[in-house]
Amino acid sequence: MNDSQAGSKSTARSWRQVSLLHLLIATLAIAAWTAHFSNRYQIARITPKYDRLRNMARELVIEDPSKIAVVALNYNLDVQECWRVYIPCGGFELRLATHGIGVNGPADDYSSVPLPTGEYEIGVTEIEDGQNFRIVALRDGSTFLETQPLSWRNPGSSSSTGHAGTSQQHDGSQPVELLRKRYMVQDPAMPNTWRPPLGPAYGVQLWIQESKTE
Amino acid sequence: MRSRAECYRLGSEIARLERKIGSLNVKDPGRIYVAAMDCNQPFEFAWHVYLPANYNSWLYKSFGQGSGASLVINSGHQEFIARLKIKVKKEQLIVVSHFGGGSSFVSGNAKNPLFKPVLSSTTDGLNFQCAGSHGVESFAIDDEVVFLAITDTNSDAKDNSIAPLFIYKLQKRTP
């Protein structure tokens, strides 16, 4: 075997070796990308199901611990309305108004109580005790904020809006409304007919707001 | 690797949530599916419910003198957890329920035969017929879906003429 024959054989072998190595790398790369795309496809396929189940289960989702998280619950049938909340550090309070409740925005006159940091349930219920009618907010089932006996009664019909049953996070820069319930009023022109109030109304408004710092 | 971990996490979360609220496995989207959930309380009930699109119905709650019906309107299909609780509050028997997006209550007085059992949290002498209590049940849209019927054990005797002490049912609304 002369030098030129040995050189050409070695070149042919190294070409084959490189090509096999490339083939191996290409196979691994294709396998990795196939697995990646298969996983992405699977994630896209099951995410809507996950969201649907999570919404049905009414679970509180805290993705950013620096923000307030709220979900309306429907499983506590002992109170009229109930929410699971997460309150971050930063000084927030629960506010409750029973009159002067407009269609938008918070009422001017309200009672309030500081909200501790952490995760818990807030509920609200109306209590009729003899001649007294009061609105009570509860934290994990215990009275947390209570009105004085009110001069009016629940007339039996109202219109309500409130926080969604889907868990949401809020940065706290704006009030986080849990409930706005405005009681209907009797129509003076039509006896025994109730209609939504035109102006500020009696009712229950409950919201979370940053504590005043002054 | 990250997508694999995310895929695994979602799969485990779905399994956890399905253990918690059950899975209906809707095979025919034109039918109604119901599965009862365990509440661990004698007079508290919950169901995982699927209602097909364009299914409008009346939801009846009735016990003797106290009864009520609410209209359930569906444009798209709906899947949700329905809940019902029978309780005593100030000498009144009260039924509170959440169904789909709405909630309601009916009340009866202390003479109602269910008053004492609810007050003492005892189910002795009562027979409960609960939809989906043995797994997922499916119904045609024309079927009456009895979510809950409570009868007196003595008067049950497969006699359909005897009115239940309490009934909670869904019936297709006819135009």
Side-chain angles (χ1 to χ4, degrees):
Chain A
M1 194 189 300
N2 60 32
D3 284 352
S4 68
Q5 275 177 321
S8 71
K9 213 169 187 178
S10 133
T11 310
R13 191 166 51 240
S14 67
W15 182 86
R16 271 202 305 275
Q17 281 170 343
V18 168
S19 125
L20 281 172
L21 184 64
H22 281 168
L23 200 62
L24 186 65
I25 290 168
T27 306
L28 287 174
I30 289 166
W33 277 106
T34 307
H36 175 74
F37 282 113
S38 162
N39 286 332
R40 298 305 310 171
Y41 170 76
Q42 183 73 351
I43 288 168
R45 197 178 65 81
I46 64 176
T47 297
K49 182 178 182 180
Y50 172 59
D51 291 341
R52 185 169 49 81
L53 288 170
R54 202 171 60 171
N55 286 344
M56 270 197 291
R58 301 286 175 113
E59 289 195 340
L60 187 70
V61 182
I62 307 162
E63 280 169 351
D64 182 348
S66 69
K67 291 181 176 175
I68 296 167
V70 182
V71 64
L73 305 177
N74 69 351
Y75 56 73
N76 189 338
L77 300 176
D78 289 321
V79 290
Q80 284 167 349
E81 306 283 346
C82 194
W83 305 266
R84 186 148 194 91
V85 302
Y86 163 77
I87 303 295
C89 301
F92 293 96
E93 59 187 28
L94 183 70
R95 295 183 178 180
L96 170 67
T98 56
H99 62 271
I101 301 166
V103 178
N104 296 304
D108 293 331
D109 192 11
Y110 57 83
S111 319
S112 67
V113 63
L115 284 169
T117 303
E119 191 182 323
Y120 39 85
E121 277 184 25
I122 291 176
V124 68
T125 196
E126 294 166 3
I127 293 182
E128 251 187 294
D129 184 12
Q131 295 298 306
N132 293 333
F133 176 68
R134 290 171 295 133
I135 310 291
V136 176
L138 304 118
R139 188 183 131 213
D140 284 337
S142 303
T143 299
F144 189 45
L145 179 61
E146 189 174 8
T147 64
Q148 294 295 315
L150 300 167
S151 59
W152 49 273
R153 285 279 192 283
N154 175 354
S157 52
S158 59
S159 61
S160 297
T161 54
H163 198 280
T166 309
S167 183
Q168 289 174 0
Q169 289 213 258
H170 309 266
D171 63 13
S173 61
Q174 297 293 317
V176 179
E177 186 161 87
L178 302 179
L179 177 68
R180 179 190 296 266
K181 184 193 249 186
R182 285 159 41 88
Y183 290 125
M184 300 277 185
V185 292
Q186 262 186 317
D187 193 331
M190 299 171 73
N192 300 322
T193 305
W194 294 82
R195 60 163 176 76
L198 297 175
Y202 289 116
V204 184
Q205 189 181 12
L206 196 67
W207 72 101
I208 296 167
Q209 192 159 344
E210 213 166 4
S211 306
K212 281 181 184 167
T213 47
E214 69 263 32
Chain B
M1 283 299 116
R2 217 163 39 190
S3 64
R4 187 178 169 188
E6 175 65 4
C7 196
Y8 178 78
R9 187 190 70 81
L10 280 175
S12 330
E13 276 291 287
I14 286 172
R16 180 185 68 78
L17 288 165
E18 284 186 338
R19 275 196 303 277
K20 186 175 176 181
I21 61 172
S23 173
L24 292 179
N25 193 17
V26 175
K27 286 179 181 149
D28 179 352
R31 288 177 68 83
I32 299 161
Y33 289 80
V34 180
M37 292 165 61
D38 199 359
C39 289
N40 300 317
Q41 296 292 328
F43 292 97
E44 204 167 327
F45 308 87
W47 299 268
H48 189 158
V49 182
Y50 169 88
L51 299 180
N54 302 315
Y55 172 72
N56 297 333
S57 54
W58 287 104
L59 182 66
Y60 293 97
K61 284 181 288 293
S62 167
F63 54 176
Q65 70 278 54
S67 64
S70 28
L71 187 60
V72 180
I73 294 178
N74 268 6
S75 49
H77 68 80
Q78 249 193 314
E79 193 175 340
F80 56 90
I81 308 297
R83 295 181 189 274
L84 181 139
K85 184 172 185 172
I86 307 174
K87 58 184 180 180
V88 164
K89 193 178 174 186
K90 284 200 286 178
E91 298 300 303
Q92 273 207 316
L93 192 62
I94 293 173
V95 179
V96 193
S97 60
H98 286 297
F99 193 91
S103 55
S104 62
F105 80 93
V106 289
S107 60
N109 61 28
K111 289 179 185 164
N112 190 292
L114 273 179
F115 186 87
K116 279 183 184 166
V118 174
L119 186 64
S120 57
S121 290
T122 172
T123 55
D124 295 345
L126 298 174
N127 184 45
F128 294 83
Q129 181 199 332
C130 186
S133 56
H134 301 294
V136 181
E137 268 188 79
S138 86
F139 303 84
I141 53 167
D142 291 322
D143 289 347
E144 182 180 89
V145 183
V146 177
F147 281 91
L148 177 68
I150 306 176
T151 47
D152 193 316
T153 316
N154 300 323
S155 63
D156 186 26
K158 293 175 184 167
D159 183 350
N160 290 333
S161 65
I162 296 169
L165 301 176
F166 175 75
I167 192 155
Y168 186 55
K169 67 180 182 182
L170 192 69
Q171 209 165 34
K172 188 185 173 188
R173 180 189 180 210
T174 45

